[in-house]
Amino acid sequence: MTEHNGAPGDLEVLQRRLAAFAAARDWQPFHTPKNLAAALSVEAAELMEIFQWLTPEESTRVMADAATAERVKDEVADVLAYLLQFCEVLGVDVLEALSAKIERNERRFPVAGERAAGSQGSSARHSPE
């Protein structure tokens, strides 16, 4: 990853903090790609659990309730923490990977005037490239 100014919200700073946290507890042997991918999946499921029985309208208002908002933020943090650790272990630059994926999607799903008829506004999922 490229070097940044070390601001508290900087992903690289957070990755280093997570790595130091794990190292201080001797957790590195457990932080294999397989285990981190599994943990990421579990945390994503815990985030989904908050929304499981809500209507679409209710789901848009979850942050209005302080207790639910805290749960959402905690689960988002857990998902991001495991994703950053996963990327660190495999040497994936998460921002570079996201940028490349956005570029591929921009080519796959062009905007009005550049696209095939019928693709705008469709919720249909397409198979990955």
Side-chain angles (χ1 to χ4, degrees):
M1 297 184 109
T2 57
E3 193 58 39
H4 295 285
N5 64 8
D10 187 306
L11 287 179
E12 292 167 347
V13 170
L14 295 172
Q15 274 184 307
R16 287 192 297 272
R17 286 181 64 192
L18 288 164
F21 182 87
R25 290 153 181 82
D26 296 321
W27 288 351
Q28 302 98 319
F30 308 105
H31 285 193
T32 64
K34 177 194 111 13
N35 288 351
L36 291 168
L40 175 59
S41 177
V42 168
E43 295 302 338
E46 289 178 7
L47 177 62
M48 184 62 219
E49 184 180 32
I50 297 167
F51 295 88
Q52 185 173 9
W53 302 113
L54 300 180
T55 66
E57 295 76 22
E58 289 169 336
S59 74
T60 64
R61 297 188 301 269
V62 294
M63 300 307 280
D65 176 72
T68 305
E70 276 307 305
R71 287 181 59 212
V72 168
K73 289 189 271 186
D74 280 348
E75 296 308 334
V76 165
D78 288 342
V79 167
L80 183 56
Y82 279 118
L83 179 61
L84 291 176
Q85 291 173 90
F86 178 82
C87 289
E88 177 73 18
V89 166
L90 290 179
V92 173
D93 181 322
V94 68
L95 296 179
E96 183 180 295
L98 178 57
S99 180
K101 182 64 176 186
I102 291 169
E103 288 173 15
R104 283 193 304 277
N105 283 342
E106 287 170 340
R107 287 190 303 274
R108 286 179 65 204
F109 307 105
V111 296
E114 302 172 6
R115 64 174 164 29
S119 64
Q120 185 73 16
S122 172
S123 65
R125 296 296 301 170
H126 302 276
S127 61
E129 287 183 28

